[in-house]
Amino acid sequence: MVGEVPYPYDPGAFPPFAVTADVALFTIGNNALQALLIERGREPFLGARALPGGFVREDEDLRDAAARELAEETGLHAGPWYLEQLAAYGSPDRDPRMRVVTVAFWAVCASLPASPRGGGDAAAANLLPVEDIERGAVRLAFDHARIVADAVERIRSSMEHTALAAGFCPPEFTIRQLREVYETVWGVSLDPGNFQRYVRESGVFEPSLALSAPGRDDTRSEPGRPASLWTARRTESGRPAKAVRRLARPGGKQARNR
Amino acid sequence: MVGEVPYPYDPGAFPPFAVTADVALFTIGNNALQALLIERGREPFLGARALPGGFVREDEDLRDAAARELAEETGLHAGPWYLEQLAAYGSPDRDPRMRVVTVAFWAVCASLPASPRGGGDAAAANLLPVEDIERGAVRLAFDHARIVADAVERIRSSMEHTALAAGFCPPEFTIRQLREVYETVWGVSLDPGNFQRYVRESGVFEPSLALSAPGRDDTRSEPGRPASLWTARRTESGRPAKAVRRLARPGGKQARNR
DNA sequence: CTTTTAATTGTCAATATGACAATATATGGA
DNA sequence: TCCATATATTGTCATATTGACAATTAAAAG
């Protein structure tokens, strides 16, 4: 074998690219699906919104870069989020300055500090309703509108067969909280009774034993029977895993064109 | 605005990466799912198998680069394949020579020239059974074993709700051909009667009108009622689209651990 | 014309889903 | 304490879908 660099490439044999990692972080706030965006403080796209992101470092894994950018932008470290890669976007003209390939990630989390101000990065970060973005009411930089659209589609689809919806909730949650996540992200209204059955029998979630539900009456003051708490079941693949499908209720919100 | 390069980056502000496009092409041959691989002719991983791929050119779109590499490797141009991006792979140590981020694609096609020899590229390309790869019986270069595994999983999953299986068939195909694709890729045995019903009622496929089936007896010589021909239905999203799910038949092949 | 082979359709029980009623368990006030 | 109110949770039942498998159709071969 050779030394430091066993089989060096001819330095001129390949075109150099810049590689960035961008993250579309979603959360639910104000009864709507929200995306974390920053306001660009310089050209190009000065004043437009953009996804948190930046150059991948020399010896940094793509995923680590995405997590780092997210942490820098939200101020939250040891992120309480669920992060997954979406795809690479590398159209030759996506950045007017030079050839940049970005690896996009999507993430979901339960909540965010009221004002997730940039923890040192240039501009301020804030949450904007996905509905506004889908309507084209938000000016997004580069191809970030497409990235957000693709991420939302992936999330909506993934929620049908996995416990992803739990990523929008605290570690333990009530069935109602979970149902409201589905209703908000999918833009539909679900039947509470049938949804209860789904959560109970799908194998995707499981009741939170420990300081479970009925009996933990500490300082609650809402009327009605207290709800039990649930968690996402540890991912044991190799299971059927039922889907949520059409639990919609008759007079509910108008479903999007899925 | 400025001229050629409106907002130039500081050349030293970002680490240069090499970006490549790799393609995992699958087809069905010999009653098994097969992947197109080349044999590496140089270090590192001399002698190991690798996915067709190479550097993305200066002004080339990622997808175009993938299609180009595929065409160069198979000798087929104007590819009769279905090509879609899988994900980016960019672990800092995935290539011992330098920092390379690869954008992986997966593709499926109906058939390939008997011996898809490299159309000019270094090594010979040939098809290897995915089963062997999954079993670890094939030495793959870099992280290509993971890429193949991810691609196979994506394909198996996608086939459940889309017409992707038709990508393994000629433009027009019989229901039996289509069923054999599912059986081969999923490693299960499906009930012919129930599968017929699925094809007929799922909305994913549609009967090939034109020179349809019963009546096109030109030079056939197989016994039995002649099969009608079908095609993938033009993608009209916004439809329910039934899933293939468990049409398995009792004594069929052992299903993989899905 | 009969046998053989494969495609296609039909039947029926077991499940799953959608709609909605009934019951359980809290809070708050009379 | 008892009742009205508000949720959570469980049941019921008609309908739709799925799995298993029988029956029918349409060709080739002898």
Side-chain angles (χ1 to χ4, degrees):
Chain A
M1 286 275 182
V2 200
E4 275 289 316
V5 181
Y7 317 101
Y9 272 123
D10 170 0
F14 66 91
F17 284 68
V19 175
T20 59
D22 290 332
V23 187
L25 172 70
F26 299 92
T27 188
I28 288 179
N30 212 24
N31 199 34
L33 182 64
Q34 313 258 353
L36 183 72
L37 295 170
I38 64 171
E39 187 174 342
R40 283 183 62 80
R42 58 181 170 184
E43 295 287 358
F45 297 104
L46 196 162
R49 306 288 179 157
L51 296 171
F55 294 118
V56 176
R57 292 176 181 165
E58 191 76 45
D59 288 302
E60 187 178 40
D61 192 19
L62 301 176
R63 184 190 181 78
D64 294 339
R68 173 176 55 76
E69 294 291 346
L70 204 47
E72 288 175 0
E73 216 56 59
T74 61
L76 301 176
H77 289 268
W81 47 61
Y82 179 77
L83 180 69
E84 198 170 292
Q85 190 189 132
L86 177 61
Y89 295 78
S91 178
D93 58 350
R94 62 179 298 277
D95 188 318
R97 294 165 295 189
M98 62 172 304
R99 188 67 197 269
V100 179
V101 168
T102 195
V103 180
F105 288 75
W106 58 262
V108 304
C109 73
S111 60
L112 231 42
S115 171
R117 32 171 298 289
D121 253 29
N126 32 36
L127 296 171
L128 292 181
V130 166
E131 194 183 332
D132 291 350
I133 299 171
E134 289 179 321
R135 211 181 40 217
V138 178
R139 190 165 77 96
L140 285 179
F142 309 108
D143 51 5
H144 290 191
R146 161 166 292 279
I147 294 176
V148 169
D150 291 349
V152 168
E153 185 184 339
R154 185 78 67 97
I155 287 171
R156 284 180 175 144
S157 165
S158 185
M159 271 174 48
E160 192 167 351
H161 298 282
T162 72
L164 172 58
F168 288 101
C169 300
E172 303 195 312
F173 47 85
T174 67
I175 290 184
R176 176 210 261 264
Q177 288 179 294
L178 190 67
R179 175 165 53 83
E180 287 175 345
V181 168
Y182 279 94
E183 293 180 328
T184 300
V185 177
W186 283 354
V188 299
S189 185
L190 303 179
D191 179 281
N194 293 337
F195 187 78
Q196 197 95 207
R197 178 175 60 194
Y198 163 70
V199 172
R200 189 163 10 93
E201 299 172 356
S202 64
V204 175
F205 305 97
E206 64 184 1
S208 165
L209 18 150
L211 29 153
S212 185
R216 75 195 181 307
D217 46 24
D218 25 58
T219 50
R220 65 192 299 281
S221 66
E222 317 88 78
R225 177 173 174 174
S228 57
L229 295 178
W230 295 71
T231 65
R233 173 178 286 214
R234 61 213 169 280
T235 311
E236 40 177 320
S237 57
R239 276 293 227 69
K242 214 173 295 186
V244 185
R245 246 178 305 194
R246 300 179 279 293
L247 306 172
R249 94 181 126 195
K253 306 180 191 175
Q254 196 59 38
R256 301 185 339 291
N257 70 330
R258 307 183 65 238
Chain B
M1 285 277 181
V2 200
E4 275 290 317
V5 181
Y7 318 101
Y9 272 124
D10 170 1
F14 67 91
F17 284 67
V19 174
T20 60
D22 291 331
V23 186
L25 172 70
F26 298 92
T27 189
I28 288 179
N30 213 22
N31 199 34
L33 182 64
Q34 312 259 353
L36 183 71
L37 295 170
I38 64 172
E39 187 174 342
R40 283 182 62 80
R42 59 182 170 185
E43 296 285 358
F45 296 105
L46 196 162
R49 307 286 179 159
L51 295 171
F55 294 118
V56 176
R57 293 176 180 164
E58 192 74 44
D59 288 302
E60 187 178 41
D61 193 18
L62 301 176
R63 184 190 181 79
D64 294 339
R68 174 176 55 75
E69 294 291 347
L70 203 47
E72 288 175 0
E73 217 55 60
T74 61
L76 302 175
H77 289 270
W81 48 62
Y82 180 77
L83 179 69
E84 198 170 291
Q85 190 189 132
L86 177 61
Y89 294 80
S91 179
D93 58 350
R94 62 180 298 278
D95 188 319
R97 294 164 294 187
M98 63 173 303
R99 187 68 197 269
V100 179
V101 169
T102 195
V103 181
F105 288 74
W106 58 262
V108 304
C109 73
S111 61
L112 231 43
S115 170
R117 32 172 296 288
D121 252 28
N126 32 35
L127 296 170
L128 292 182
V130 166
E131 194 183 333
D132 291 350
I133 300 171
E134 288 178 323
R135 212 180 40 218
V138 178
R139 191 165 75 97
L140 285 179
F142 310 107
D143 51 3
H144 290 189
R146 161 166 292 279
I147 295 176
V148 170
D150 291 349
V152 169
E153 184 185 339
R154 185 79 68 96
I155 288 171
R156 284 180 175 144
S157 165
S158 185
M159 271 174 47
E160 192 166 350
H161 299 282
T162 72
L164 172 58
F168 288 102
C169 300
E172 303 196 312
F173 47 85
T174 67
I175 291 184
R176 177 210 260 263
Q177 289 179 294
L178 189 67
R179 175 165 52 83
E180 287 175 346
V181 168
Y182 280 93
E183 293 181 329
T184 300
V185 176
W186 283 355
V188 300
S189 184
L190 303 179
D191 179 280
N194 292 338
F195 187 78
Q196 197 94 207
R197 179 175 60 193
Y198 163 70
V199 172
R200 189 163 10 94
E201 299 172 356
S202 65
V204 174
F205 305 97
E206 64 185 1
S208 165
L209 17 149
L211 30 152
S212 186
R216 76 196 178 306
D217 45 25
D218 24 59
T219 49
R220 65 192 301 280
S221 67
E222 316 88 78
R225 177 174 174 174
S228 56
L229 294 178
W230 295 71
T231 65
R233 174 179 286 215
R234 61 214 168 278
T235 311
E236 41 178 319
S237 55
R239 277 289 226 73
K242 216 172 295 184
V244 186
R245 245 176 305 192
R246 301 179 280 293
L247 307 172
R249 94 181 127 195
K253 306 179 193 175
Q254 197 58 40
R256 303 184 338 287
N257 70 331
R258 305 181 71 237

